[in-house]
Amino acid sequence: MGWRKSMEATWALVRRAANELLRGVLAPTIFFLGLTSVFGALDNLAGFPAPYKDWLIPVSLLQGAGFTGAATGVNLARDIEQGWFDRLLVSPAPRPVILAGLVLSAALRSLIPAIFLLIVGFAIGVQWPGLDGLLIALLVVMGMGTVAACWGTTLALKYRSQSAAPLMQAGMLLLVLTTTAYAPLALLTGWLHTVARYNPVTQVVEAARQGFIGSVTWGNTWPGLVALAGLLAVLSALALRGMHRTAI
Amino acid sequence: MPAIEANGLERTFEGGIHAVAGVDLDVAEKEIYAFLGPNGAGKTTTVRMLTTLLQPTGGSARVAGFDVVAEAANVRRSIGVALQEAALDPLMTGRELIRLQATLHGLSRQAGREKADSLLERVDLVDAADRQVGTYSGGMRRRLDLASALVHEPKVLFLDEPTTGLDPVSRRTIWEEVEQLNREGTTVFLTTQYLEEADQLADRVGIIDFGRIVAEDTPGRLKAGIGHPHLEIRLVEDVAERAREVVAGFGKPRPSKDGAVLVELEGGAGGVAPVVRALDDAGLAVESLDLVEPTLDDVFLEKTGHHLEPEEPEAGESE
Ligand SMILES: Nc1ncnc2c1ncn2[C@@H]1O[C@H](COP(=O)(O)OP(=O)(O)OP(=O)(O)O)[C@@H](O)[C@H]1O
Ligand SMILES: [Mg+2]
């Protein structure tokens, strides 16, 4: 199968996934609105370099991407349980193509809750991040959606059951939680400080955040992109290994 | 070159379940081969190994000349598969499914469109083609599933219980389609729990029980090997136990089935009258009485000691 055919097969799988109900479109927005209204008072707190809603919106964007990505794993587990996935596995489409179809659909779908959240955010006065800041944020959303989808896919292939869903969601939640997502590094203490400092997702969060709380610089961008690429490499390798193991 | 070849094929699951315990197969090109066996016999497990969905834990197999483990990609290119749990996305239309399948098999968009048209025509789903699969009947789903296995004109077709749960008319439609495909040169490996299906459709039948092939031949030769017919007696009252004692003198008794008393008649039809007289003398009123020529169920019984089709719970036990 040539690459053109492979692309077409991938696209066909993407389209199928898009057929499915778009879950969690609203969740990150509701989450964001809830947190900003409860913790909006933190605007006055020392150590926060920007209004809380500007500070938080990139985090909600990433979390939306994480949930959408993890949903890919849940859907795959369901497809495995119901036997749909076998249909793909007995086809001669190369395993990486099948995997790409799954995770690329997650990348595209994760844009939907993100765009919705951004529209609501701008409506309530979130700072405009500039075109470059916006594009970086959306790129990071797609990247994290893909990372989460690889994680969900890996677990789905391993456990072959929807009961692994909490694990798929929790993995992404933890990855984002143990960063500077909710508070600046200076305000984090103890082990959380240490973990947040070395968690590559911290770089990703900061890259997505920069436009919302200041201006975009290359220095704040490249570490995030490198971290994202690293996460993608590791998790897609895991998912691909799962694909090869699941059938011969 | 045989279309399907297996040597000592085995699959053990975690927990030590020996689902397939050493299966040898030699299916010729253009043959229809049926695996006949009850629930849990190992039919699906065998099919999953032959179609590269499951790794064997022992033995080896080749399909269309390719090893199912080492050359899995080549096997997949050569086979069409309709699995037992026909997983279909209820939100897709029949046409979308076939076109997706065509794309997965590397057909161009134009070829996929044409293929979808001709296959939908072939399985008589033109009218339903643009409806969501969720609205299809069981028979329509199976036909769609069969059609979707044919997009790339496979040399070898695997059908895992293609007609289980279907009404007789839908079943016959599938049979006709399978026969037509076979006439066009497709090798067919199918599994079934239905005697008639194996009997009518297959060139050769392998009877599988507890993961082993216990008999394998053409349906005609398998039945001829059994020899004598048996008498199936139904009584007006529930007096099966006494009836069994009465007929025991006339031939080998058999485990009962659906409440009927069964006895083999070595002498054939000539042995019927004495049995009837004896039952009459014993005061047992007969409701119906059939002389049954050997079926594949008899073969199954002889080879395994039990019936293929499960006994009704209320039926009298054999001993
Ligand atoms: N993934 C699995 N893990 C553990 N045991 C399994 C698994 N798949 C099948 N088995 C067991 O292997 C045996 C054979 O199952 P298989 O599905 O091959 O039977 P079958 O002949 O297809 O039955 P049916 O007519 O019900 O479809 C059964 O005892 C089944 O419980
Ligand atoms: Mg089965």
Side-chain angles (χ1 to χ4, degrees):
Chain A
M1 197 181 271
W3 76 270
R4 208 199 134 84
K5 293 279 175 54
S6 296
M7 287 298 288
E8 282 173 11
T10 305
W11 181 238
L13 294 174
V14 170
R15 273 206 322 263
R16 172 181 179 265
N19 251 353
E20 288 167 352
L21 278 178
L22 301 166
R23 263 183 265 186
V25 172
L26 296 181
T29 302
I30 292 167
F31 194 65
F32 170 72
L33 292 175
L35 273 181
T36 46
S37 60
V38 173
F39 294 112
L42 289 178
D43 281 357
N44 308 326
L45 204 78
F48 269 87
Y52 192 62
K53 56 179 181 297
D54 296 340
W55 172 266
L56 189 69
I57 197 164
V59 179
S60 297
L61 286 174
L62 290 192
Q63 247 167 10
F67 279 116
T68 312
T72 301
V74 182
N75 290 344
L76 173 59
R78 186 203 57 209
D79 285 350
I80 290 174
E81 282 177 359
Q82 295 180 352
W84 168 273
F85 196 55
D86 288 337
R87 185 181 290 281
L88 305 186
L89 289 181
V90 292
S91 81
R95 314 293 92 168
V97 168
I98 296 176
L99 180 64
L102 286 169
V103 299
L104 291 186
S105 76
L108 292 181
R109 272 188 302 166
S110 56
L111 285 176
I112 295 166
I115 287 168
F116 188 79
L117 170 60
L118 283 170
I119 290 170
V120 172
F122 293 139
I124 64 165
V126 164
Q127 179 181 318
W128 171 252
L131 189 60
D132 47 358
L134 185 69
L135 288 180
I136 289 171
L138 290 179
L139 185 70
V140 164
V141 161
M142 289 176 71
M144 282 303 278
T146 310
V147 166
C150 286
W151 167 253
T153 302
T154 305
L155 293 179
L157 291 170
K158 182 166 168 59
Y159 295 107
R160 311 182 70 81
S161 153
Q162 290 184 74
S163 57
L167 217 54
M168 300 173 189
Q169 303 283 10
M172 279 297 114
L173 204 61
L174 268 182
L175 207 55
V176 176
L177 214 56
T178 55
T179 63
T180 54
Y182 292 98
L185 197 56
L187 294 186
L188 296 174
T189 54
W191 65 269
L192 196 54
H193 182 97
T194 318
V195 173
R197 188 178 180 136
Y198 295 106
N199 185 342
V201 181
T202 291
Q203 307 304 327
V204 180
V205 170
E206 295 303 334
R209 177 176 277 157
Q210 50 180 329
F212 292 95
I213 60 168
S215 55
V216 175
T217 66
W218 179 239
N220 276 334
T221 307
W222 72 262
L225 296 184
V226 168
L228 201 52
L231 282 167
L232 272 174
V234 172
L235 281 153
S236 61
L238 277 177
L240 196 57
R241 194 182 66 151
M243 280 295 294
H244 282 298
R245 279 193 181 172
T246 187
I248 304 166
Chain B
M1 178 188 75
I4 304 169
E5 199 182 350
N7 289 303
L9 196 62
E10 275 183 48
R11 175 68 206 205
T12 311
F13 285 110
E14 305 74 28
I17 303 161
H18 229 48
V20 176
V23 158
D24 298 321
L25 289 169
D26 189 347
V27 178
E29 273 182 50
K30 302 185 172 53
E31 195 175 5
I32 301 184
Y33 184 94
F35 238 12
L36 176 67
N39 286 130
K43 303 184 294 295
T44 297
T45 306
T46 306
V47 168
R48 292 180 69 84
M49 287 192 283
L50 294 176
T51 56
T52 77
L53 285 172
L54 190 68
Q55 187 117 30
T57 50
S60 65
R62 300 180 80 79
V63 173
F66 302 110
D67 186 277
V68 295
V69 178
E71 298 163 301
N74 285 325
V75 172
R76 290 185 199 116
R77 260 187 282 278
S78 318
I79 61 173
V81 186
L83 292 165
Q84 184 173 3
E85 264 94 46
L88 297 166
D89 184 336
L91 297 180
M92 278 177 120
T93 69
R95 193 187 303 280
E96 282 169 352
L97 180 92
I98 296 192
R99 287 176 59 180
L100 169 63
Q101 202 80 9
T103 312
L104 287 171
H105 280 90
L107 269 67
S108 74
R109 197 170 297 206
Q110 181 59 26
R113 238 195 303 272
E114 285 162 12
K115 204 74 211 177
D117 288 342
S118 69
L119 285 174
L120 288 163
E121 176 92 38
R122 171 158 204 164
V123 297
D124 199 17
L125 283 175
V126 176
D127 292 337
D130 297 306
R131 254 165 53 197
Q132 291 189 338
V133 173
T135 67
Y136 283 23
S137 71
M140 291 163 82
R141 281 164 194 248
R142 293 301 175 84
R143 266 148 47 210
L144 178 62
D145 205 27
L146 178 60
S148 75
L150 302 175
V151 288
H152 53 303
E153 293 161 26
K155 289 204 275 286
V156 185
L157 185 61
F158 289 88
L159 305 173
D160 194 7
E161 301 200 20
T163 68
T164 297
L166 296 189
D167 60 88
V169 176
S170 306
R171 185 172 300 166
R172 202 156 291 276
T173 314
I174 300 263
W175 289 0
E176 279 161 15
E177 195 49 55
V178 170
E179 277 166 346
Q180 180 58 34
L181 284 163
N182 180 248
R183 274 195 295 276
E184 293 165 13
T186 312
T187 307
V188 181
F189 184 101
L190 65 94
T191 76
T192 183
Q193 303 187 36
Y194 297 127
L195 301 167
E196 326 86 77
E197 187 156 294
D199 207 345
Q200 299 211 2
L201 206 50
D203 298 317
R204 269 191 319 142
V205 176
I207 295 181
I208 180 169
D209 195 31
F210 293 111
R212 284 202 169 75
I213 296 180
V214 293
E216 183 186 63
D217 213 329
T218 64
R221 278 205 288 269
L222 283 172
K223 288 184 292 188
I226 296 295
H228 11 268
H230 72 261
L231 204 53
E232 200 170 302
I233 307 159
R234 286 173 200 282
L235 299 138
V236 175
E237 291 163 79
D238 188 13
V239 287
E241 213 45 56
R242 280 185 52 215
R244 224 185 309 277
E245 280 161 25
V246 172
V247 303
F250 295 92
K252 205 169 138 216
R254 299 240 198 140
S256 61
K257 197 176 135 194
D258 305 341
V261 174
L262 310 186
V263 60
E264 271 176 36
L265 291 182
E266 310 213 350
V272 178
V275 175
V276 176
R277 268 196 298 276
L279 287 167
D280 205 33
D281 290 346
L284 301 174
V286 172
E287 182 185 295
S288 72
L289 193 136
D290 286 302
L291 185 68
V292 183
E293 291 299 325
T295 66
L296 288 178
D297 188 40
D298 298 317
V299 180
F300 195 84
L301 179 66
E302 167 146 319
K303 302 290 180 185
T304 68
H306 52 103
H307 284 291
L308 176 65
E309 279 146 9
E311 286 184 43
E312 305 277 326
E314 68 271 15
E317 280 307 307
S318 48
E319 245 77 43

